Each structure stands twice: as C-alpha cells, then as structure tokens.
Amino acid sequence: NVQHCLGVAHTHLSNYAEAREIFEANLETNKRLLGSDHIYVAHALYYLGQVYQMLNLDSPSLELLQQSLDNYEVALSIYRKQLKETDLVIAHVHHSLGTIWNLKEDHVTAKKYFDLALKTYKTFNDGENLLVATVLNHLGVIFTLQDEDFKSMMCLQESLRIRVKLLGSNHSTLAD
C-alpha cells in the first residue's frame, strides 16, 4: 500500500522520524482494516522494528531496542502462522532479532537467531550470497566475545571468501 511504500522511502533516505510516524499509522490502519494477524500487520511491525533499530543507532536507548525487539517478535509470530519456517521473510526477522539481542549484549540469544537465519540463507545460491557472509561476520564477532577464537576465525574467513568472490577484492566493504 502507499503508506508502506512511503515509509520504506523515508527509511531509505534515513528520515527515520518520518518513517516511524508513517509505519505507526500504517500499522494502525492495517490492524483496523485487516485484523491483528494479517501478514500486512506483520510487515508494518517488522519495518517499524527496523526504524526503531535505526533510531537507536542515532541515539542509543534501551527503550528503542525493546520496542524494536517487541515488534520483531510479534511480526515473527504472525509470519509463522502464514509462512514456512524456511521462508526468506522469516530468516530476515531472525537476522534482525539476532542483531537486536547482540546490541543488548545477550550473545547466546543473538547466536540462536543468527543460526536460524543462516540455515535459511544457505539454501539460496548454494550458500554463496551476501546474507550468508553478513551473518557469518556477526557470528565471528560473537565467537570472539565468547573466547572461541577458532570458530571466530572460521566464520570470518568464510565471510571474507564469499565477499571477495561476489564483490571482488577491491570492494569498499572489504576495507571496513
């Protein structure tokens, strides 16, 4: 719908305050017209969770992280009623939940969600995609924090191998 597309456009332009207002209105409209368990409600919750996450990066707040977490969890419960567990949309929510739990410094829970996302992401392009590389990077950092250096090294090397294969050795993301 138009509200949703406008919210996405504001998110892409980093206009997070505007995106938040639009997605909140979109969420209420969808709930009123379609019911609380409709997949469009889940989409609105997911995107609102992303906006809260981005607002948190601009101005860190446990409240924003919790709002993001709450939205992702409700979206996940709706998606699970209507989609297969292996659906890419569910994997994206798992990835987002992993990111939030990582920001909250609960690395055990973050790892659980990253593992779920990775399992689905590996089913696309024989596991040779940037989603796999990104999650492996997250897992590598978590393993470092847990003093599991060998596992960390394995994840980070595989992430780097995939990135070089897909993006080339001169891509700017390899310098980060």
Side-chain angles (χ1 to χ4, degrees):
N1 72 35
V2 176
Q3 268 183 324
H4 175 81
C5 293
L6 188 58
V8 170
H10 277 288
T11 302
H12 285 240
L13 293 170
S14 301
N15 298 332
Y16 302 120
E18 292 89 346
R20 178 184 186 172
E21 288 179 24
I22 291 166
F23 283 127
E24 286 174 347
N26 182 243
L27 176 61
E28 292 311 310
T29 300
N30 287 342
K31 280 182 178 179
R32 186 172 35 81
L33 297 176
L34 305 170
S36 319
D37 281 348
H38 196 278
I39 199 158
Y40 286 173
V41 170
H43 293 333
L45 286 164
Y46 176 74
Y47 278 93
L48 193 52
Q50 287 187 321
V51 168
Y52 289 139
Q53 187 175 335
M54 298 313 294
L55 286 167
N56 179 70
L57 295 177
D58 289 343
S59 178
S61 155
L62 289 177
E63 180 184 337
L64 287 171
L65 280 180
Q66 191 59 49
Q67 287 176 308
S68 184
L69 182 63
D70 293 345
N71 279 315
Y72 288 147
E73 287 176 343
V74 174
L76 183 60
S77 71
I78 295 169
Y79 284 138
R80 282 185 166 151
K81 293 175 189 172
Q82 301 180 38
L83 303 172
K84 293 180 181 176
E85 193 66 25
T86 56
D87 193 284
L88 192 57
V89 170
I90 289 180
H92 289 327
V93 178
H94 286 151
H95 188 167
S96 296
L97 283 163
T99 300
I100 294 298
W101 283 110
N102 206 28
L103 289 170
K104 291 181 75 138
E105 299 183 11
D106 181 341
H107 305 298
V108 172
T109 304
K111 183 185 176 306
K112 176 184 91 171
Y113 283 110
F114 285 139
D115 284 341
L116 290 168
L118 185 62
K119 182 179 177 182
T120 300
Y121 289 161
K122 281 186 169 185
T123 64
F124 295 92
N125 296 355
D126 296 321
E128 301 283 319
N129 61 70
L130 292 177
L131 295 169
V132 168
T134 300
V135 172
L136 286 170
N137 193 73
H138 289 310
L139 288 169
V141 171
I142 288 172
F143 285 131
T144 298
L145 294 170
Q146 295 174 334
D147 294 323
E148 295 189 53
D149 296 328
F150 181 75
K151 288 181 180 179
S152 173
M153 185 177 64
M154 298 304 292
C155 287
L156 294 171
Q157 285 178 337
E158 181 64 5
S159 175
L160 180 61
R161 184 194 68 74
I162 293 169
R163 288 173 192 272
V164 168
K165 179 180 178 181
L166 296 176
L167 302 173
S169 59
N170 294 322
H171 195 270
S172 63
T173 60
L174 299 177
D176 290 349

